[in-house]
Each structure stands twice: as C-alpha cells, then as structure tokens.
Amino acid sequence: MSNLFYTHQEMEDVFRSKPLQYKSNKSLDECVQKMKELNHFKIDVKDKKIAVVGNSGKLLKQDNAKIIDSHDIVIRCNLAITDGFEDRVGEKTDIRLIAGKSFWRDLTGQFSSYNNNFLTNLKDECFIIKAEPLYPAIQGIIKNYDTKCKIVFLRQEFVNQAEKATSCQDISVGLTAITLAVQWSTKVSIFGFSFFEEDWDEQHYFESITPYSRGHNPQLEKNYVNFLKEQNYIRIY
C-alpha cells in the first residue's frame, strides 16, 4: 500500500528543494513537520466494499444515498459537498481524491459554492493529492495547516501507469479514484459519473461552474469505465 504514496522523506526532499517560494506565516521547518504529521494512510481498503462517488448532477435524480453509505469505504472527489445533500449522495466520506489546484488554489469565481476553508474544516478523512509537479503542494499544507484530516500524495508513477492502461492523457481525478479502487478491491461500485455530458450547470450536483478548458478526454474515460463494467470489475449506478 505504501508504495502508492510518497514517503515522508521524499516529500521533505521536495519541500526543501528550494527556499520557501510562497507567502506563509509558517516556516519551512514547520511546513515539513506538519506534512510528516499528516502524511499517513491507515485505512484498510483491501477487498472492502468501495463506493466511488463522482460529482454529477445526476445524483440528485437518483435515490442511492443509503446504498452509498452502506459501503465499507466511500471515496469522493475534490471539493464535493455532502451537507444539505445527504438524502441523495449520502453523508459518509473516508477518502477524498483531490487535484492539486483544488488542494492549494483559490477557486472563487470558478465554482459557485467554493469555500476557501472547506478542506481545512473537514475532519476524519484522508486526502489523496494528485499533483505534478509536487513542489506546489506545499501551498496546500500552508493553506490547510489546521486540518483534522490525513494528507498523502499519490505517486506520479501510478498516474503514469493508469494513463497508459486507460489510453487517457491527463487522467481525471474521478477516473484516478476508480482506478485506485479497482486496484484495492473486487467490490467496487461507482455513482455520479456522467463524464461531463450534461450542461455546465448540471455537472456538479452542489454548484454551478464557470466553463473552463479540461485537459482530459471524457469520452475515452467513459469507454474505459464501460470496459471495467463489462469485465465485472465495477458496478455502475
């Protein structure tokens, strides 16, 4: 399990590879120490029932909340909100797969429900950060210094392998989460994935989005997910 994520020492080497490049009321030593305190993945995922929940507006038209919460492990993506939507999307979150920009950037203006303190205010989750290059991730440690969640950093080697297996470049956070879940368990179900086929105002169940250019190819990702379904690796709701 540990080889999926960068070690304390590897992350320290990245963070210390240059003088602190970002404005912070914490010193570099404090940032490194905080990273080490948070950098632990202690969730037993092997052969567990895993739900991977996307952010599509289709979730509001379904009634899967109890099914989602019945899974041993629930994985959500980026800045997905459950408060106020529990009756449709469930309330349980164990793991949160997060893109670098969602971990450290201020996305006010791009996402209508954006709260700069959202990740900091969460607790009892494990954040898996997908970021390349890694050095800017120190901004996420600075920004979310007071979080009550664990934070681990996904190895780029895993992302590269996933992109090769799926034939998708710049693999999305959602497909990365599905790929991880399939590696961990044979009992994976996915919810709320529409591969951005809806209009922009329905692509996230909890907010509206200002249109922007995505790097990944939704159709290729959809094709791969359907392949996983056909091979009985996942169940799609």
Side-chain angles (χ1 to χ4, degrees):
M1 188 65 61
S2 61
N3 62 355
L4 286 173
F5 309 115
Y6 290 105
T7 65
H8 293 357
Q9 188 59 57
E10 288 171 320
M11 290 303 301
E12 179 172 0
D13 290 345
V14 169
F15 283 6
R16 293 191 185 279
S17 64
K18 59 186 78 174
L20 186 58
Q21 300 289 295
Y22 306 105
K23 183 178 180 180
S24 173
N25 61 357
K26 306 295 183 183
S27 68
L28 177 56
D29 286 343
E30 288 175 310
C31 292
V32 168
Q33 181 58 36
K34 178 57 69 170
M35 175 275 296
K36 291 181 177 180
E37 293 172 5
L38 299 175
N39 188 24
H40 294 278
F41 187 88
K42 296 182 177 180
I43 301 173
D44 180 11
V45 293
K46 185 174 176 58
D47 292 329
K48 300 295 185 181
K49 286 179 60 180
I50 300 177
V52 182
V53 185
N55 295 340
S56 168
K58 70 185 287 186
L59 286 165
L60 299 181
K61 303 173 184 178
Q62 300 173 334
D63 188 19
N64 291 323
K66 291 182 179 179
I67 299 174
I68 291 170
D69 283 344
S70 72
H71 286 73
D72 300 313
I73 303 292
V74 177
I75 304 175
R76 299 188 193 268
C77 299
N78 283 320
L79 307 179
I81 296 170
T82 56
D83 288 351
F85 300 95
E86 296 92 340
D87 63 330
R88 291 297 173 184
V89 307
E91 59 184 354
K92 181 178 181 179
T93 307
D94 300 286
I95 297 170
R96 188 175 292 268
L97 219 299
I98 305 174
K101 71 172 186 177
S102 296
F103 184 45
W104 64 71
R105 280 176 49 189
D106 185 333
L107 300 176
T108 302
Q110 188 169 344
F111 301 102
S112 65
S113 70
Y114 182 75
N115 175 352
N116 207 37
N117 296 313
F118 175 71
L119 295 178
T120 302
N121 292 337
L122 294 174
K123 60 182 180 179
D124 301 326
E125 297 184 16
C126 182
F127 302 160
I128 299 178
I129 310 303
K130 174 182 179 286
E132 176 67 19
L134 266 178
Y135 180 77
I138 196 171
Q139 297 173 93
I141 297 296
I142 294 167
K143 181 179 179 182
N144 301 291
Y145 196 86
D146 294 324
T147 187
K148 302 299 187 294
C149 297
K150 297 300 182 183
I151 301 176
V152 297
F153 301 87
L154 188 62
R155 287 185 179 277
Q156 186 61 30
E157 291 91 337
F158 176 83
V159 177
N160 293 342
Q161 291 169 5
E163 290 181 346
K164 182 176 181 180
T166 62
S167 299
C168 298
Q169 294 183 339
D170 191 19
I171 187 173
S172 70
V173 162
L175 188 55
T176 303
I178 293 171
T179 306
L180 273 171
V182 169
Q183 175 160 315
W184 288 333
S185 176
T186 59
K187 294 170 281 191
V188 176
S189 298
I190 72 169
F191 304 79
F193 282 85
S194 293
F195 305 97
F196 312 115
E197 292 177 345
E198 314 100 328
D199 292 336
W200 281 95
D201 59 356
E202 295 182 341
Q203 289 187 8
H204 283 180
Y205 67 85
F206 52 92
E207 65 184 353
S208 60
I209 308 172
T210 300
Y212 65 97
S213 177
R214 292 188 173 97
H216 41 272
N217 186 316
Q219 187 58 52
L220 287 179
E221 296 201 355
K222 180 180 180 180
N223 293 345
Y224 184 72
V225 168
N226 285 334
F227 165 77
L228 292 177
K229 177 186 177 183
E230 291 166 2
Q231 299 300 312
N232 295 316
Y233 288 117
I234 63 172
R235 182 174 182 178
I236 300 177
Y237 284 83

